[in-house]
Amino acid sequence: MFEETSDEGSGFSEENLRLVTFGLSGEEFGVDIMQVSEVIPVPRITRIPQAPECVKGLINLRGKILVVIDLNKRLDFRSKETDSLSRIIIVEVKDTVLGMLVNSVKGVINLPPSLIQPPPEMIKSKINTEYLVGVGKVGNRPLILLNLARVLGEEEIEELSELSSPDEDISTE
């Protein structure tokens, strides 16, 4: 499904990070592929009354009800209407399966740790530093590395887990 590339044609090693890369608000981000269970096109999303602003709604994924978080809103970026490039990245955060809505998914890359630096102060002021793993260099462009498990606080995860139904099958009409 994704194009898999390595940086600068370097050989793969066990130390290389495998990252799913995606776009948000004109910037490129990456997350460790081990945090991602799958990437899906955006299905119909059911809104939840009085939900926090970053909660886009609920989806039915093969009989499981999952909460979808709009990652643009969660990171205080300007939200964008979903289109044919929009995707939902399915992740498990502290035993809760969630969807993270992103503008597009670019692919999977292998990135040597030597090409990852701590986040610069300028980025730290825009995004809560607990979300950031670092900044990778992919060719001539920066790649902001996120820890999706930290994008939501523990209280938020507990609240959202009550809305999701990861262990119960729900029949569809």
Side-chain angles (χ1 to χ4, degrees), residues 150-162:
R150 293 187 180 162
V151 169
L152 299 171
E154 289 198 28
E155 286 180 16
E156 291 171 308
I157 292 168
E158 283 181 33
E159 289 175 22
L160 296 175
S161 70
E162 293 172 13

Side-chain angles (χ1 to χ4, degrees), residues 18-156:
R18 290 179 52 92
L19 304 167
V20 175
T21 61
F22 57 91
L24 283 177
S25 194
E27 304 300 330
E28 192 169 356
F29 291 82
V31 295
D32 187 327
I33 198 166
M34 297 306 291
Q35 290 186 309
V36 177
S37 62
E38 65 183 298
V39 176
I40 62 170
V42 180
R44 181 179 178 279
I45 298 176
T46 303
R47 294 178 187 236
I48 305 170
Q50 300 178 341
E53 189 176 347
C54 69
V55 175
K56 188 77 173 172
L58 300 171
I59 61 170
N60 183 341
L61 181 64
R62 294 183 297 277
K64 311 285 188 214
I65 301 299
L66 304 180
V67 175
V68 175
I69 303 298
D70 184 335
L71 214 44
N72 275 308
K73 287 184 179 177
R74 182 63 183 146
L75 299 177
D76 290 329
F77 292 144
R78 190 175 61 194
S79 194
K80 157 184 174 320
E81 290 296 318
T82 57
D83 59 23
S84 63
L85 295 176
S86 300
R87 295 289 181 264
I88 295 178
I89 299 174
I90 306 297
V91 299
E92 186 172 336
V93 180
K94 299 187 179 172
D95 298 325
T96 300
V97 180
L98 301 168
M100 302 280 187
L101 178 64
V102 299
N103 296 356
S104 64
V105 171
K106 311 285 186 185
V108 175
I109 65 168
N110 291 287
L111 188 66
S114 61
L115 295 178
I116 298 173
Q117 301 174 354
E121 290 301 319
M122 187 170 148
I123 290 178
K124 287 181 181 181
S125 67
K126 290 186 174 185
I127 301 175
N128 190 332
T129 56
E130 66 189 37
Y131 308 159
L132 298 179
V133 173
V135 178
K137 182 180 174 191
V138 180
N140 292 328
R141 65 189 198 276
L143 178 68
I144 302 168
L145 306 179
L146 291 178
N147 182 341
L148 291 180
R150 293 187 180 162
V151 169
L152 299 171
E154 289 198 28
E155 286 180 16
E156 291 171 308

